[in-house]
């Protein structure tokens, strides 16, 4: 079974702090994704990566950056956390580029910015 | 822009059948997927429709009509454990990018 793990289940940070969210997958997947989930808005794509050191902006990249130095690890960085970044953050991975690509998700990190 | 709309909440009783709709305004996608998300857990894949029509997987079925820009997830013989959020999703053709629906919270009552 594919396993996607996220470094923290819950985080509380203060406005202006730099925040790192880590995601690791163990099945040699090419693609990794970061989403945020907010009530009524569903899952919105922040950034994704289709290869090591490659990244592309999703729908809401402002205020975020990412890093993928190794294939199995994809990090989301909040350079200066703000209260409007309080949300559930979900990491996902998928194998390759086939039409029928299943996304495998981690359990999520619930971030509260005070 | 591209969007997938779902009802925000659906309530049904154990043993019943419920349909969760997904209407979309997007073009050029590979197929329609459905994911289940229990609070505190990881979203998990349920079903995929590449072509128009019905796909059945046990108690769950999913339907797609590209001409109507519409799909649905059908859950039969509802169980309490089916209480969760359900998301439809598409992957835009030629990209790695996925678009998820707004999500439907299903409450199953005893």
């Amino acid at each position: 079974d594919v396993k996607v793990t996220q470094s923290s289940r819950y985080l509380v940070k203060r406005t202006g702090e730099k925040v790192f969210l880590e995601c690791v997958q163990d099945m040699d997947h090419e693609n990794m994704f970061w989403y945020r989930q907010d009530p009524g808005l569903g899952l919105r794509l922040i950034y994704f990566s289709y290869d090591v050191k490659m990244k592309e902006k999703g729908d809401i990249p402002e205020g975020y950056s990412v890093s993928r130095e190794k294939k199995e690890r994809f990090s989301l960085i909040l350079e200066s956390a703000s209260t409007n970044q309080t949300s559930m953050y979900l990491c996902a991975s998928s194998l390759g580029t086939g039409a029928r690509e299943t996304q495998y998700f981690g359990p999520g990190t619930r971030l509260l910015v005070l | 822009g591209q969007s997938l709309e779902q009802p925000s909440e659906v309530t049904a009783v154990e043993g019943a059948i419920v349909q969760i709709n997904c209407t979309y305004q997007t073009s050029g996608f590979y197929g329609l997927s459905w994911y289940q998300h229990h609070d505190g857990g990881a979203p998990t894949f349920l079903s995929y429709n590449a072509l128009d029509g019905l796909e059945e997987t046990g108690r769950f079925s999913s339907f797609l009509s590209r001409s109507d820009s519409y799909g649905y997830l059908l859950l039969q013989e509802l169980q309490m454990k089916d209480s969760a959020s359900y998301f439809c999703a598409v992957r835009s053709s030629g990209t790695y990018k996925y678009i998820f629906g707004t999500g439907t919270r299903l409450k199953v009552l005893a």
Side-chain angles (χ1 to χ4, degrees):
Chain A
D1 278 352
V2 175
K3 190 165 186 181
V4 179
T5 57
Q6 296 183 229
S7 51
S8 305
R9 294 301 302 271
Y10 301 94
L11 273 180
V12 181
K13 297 292 181 181
R14 296 206 175 274
T15 301
E17 280 193 77
K18 191 168 187 175
V19 181
F20 293 86
L21 303 183
E22 303 285 339
C23 176
V24 178
Q25 50 94 2
D26 66 357
M27 284 300 291
D28 204 35
H29 281 180
E30 300 291 330
N31 311 314
M32 297 188 75
F33 307 82
W34 275 106
Y35 297 90
R36 61 178 284 177
Q37 181 183 9
D38 300 289
L41 297 177
L43 276 70
R44 292 180 294 165
L45 182 63
I46 304 171
Y47 267 98
F48 64 100
S49 169
Y50 52 88
D51 200 354
V52 175
K53 297 190 186 295
M54 304 302 289
K55 60 187 179 185
E56 282 199 29
K57 294 179 179 179
D59 296 317
I60 51 165
E62 296 78 19
Y64 304 94
S65 62
V66 290
S67 173
R68 194 166 180 203
E69 296 296 318
K70 293 185 177 181
K71 191 175 188 179
E72 67 271 19
R73 187 180 299 269
F74 192 36
S75 303
L76 180 69
I77 303 152
L78 287 67
E79 297 291 342
S80 177
S82 64
T83 55
N84 63 13
Q85 292 178 310
T86 291
S87 187
M88 169 69 86
Y89 290 87
L90 289 164
C91 175
S93 70
S94 66
L95 179 60
T97 57
R100 182 180 179 147
E101 283 292 314
T102 298
Q103 294 222 311
Y104 295 87
F105 284 87
T109 296
R110 190 168 291 280
L111 173 66
L112 173 62
V113 182
L114 301 174
Chain B
Q2 298 176 316
S3 65
L4 291 87
E5 296 293 326
Q6 301 178 236
S8 59
E9 193 170 294
V10 173
T11 302
V13 297
E14 267 189 305
I17 299 172
V18 72
Q19 179 173 311
I20 298 174
N21 297 324
C22 174
T23 55
Y24 57 87
Q25 294 182 8
T26 186
S27 59
F29 63 93
Y30 289 113
L32 184 68
S33 299
W34 287 91
Y35 289 80
Q36 179 189 59
H37 188 195
H38 285 101
D39 286 344
T44 55
F45 171 80
L46 284 179
S47 184
Y48 177 78
N49 290 74
L51 303 174
D52 283 8
L54 194 67
E55 291 283 341
E56 297 181 76
T57 310
R59 293 189 298 115
F60 295 168
S61 302
S62 57
F63 174 82
L64 174 64
S65 170
R66 289 179 187 263
S67 59
D68 295 324
S69 300
Y70 166 72
Y72 65 73
L73 179 69
L74 191 73
L75 297 84
Q76 303 182 73
E77 300 172 18
L78 279 175
Q79 302 174 9
M80 297 295 290
K81 67 179 182 179
D82 297 329
S83 292
S85 293
Y86 293 83
F87 293 91
C88 56
V90 299
R91 182 161 76 93
S92 299
S93 298
T95 78
Y96 302 91
K97 184 179 172 181
Y98 288 80
I99 304 165
F100 280 80
T102 49
T104 299
R105 180 170 286 276
L106 172 64
K107 293 183 180 178
V108 180
L109 306 176

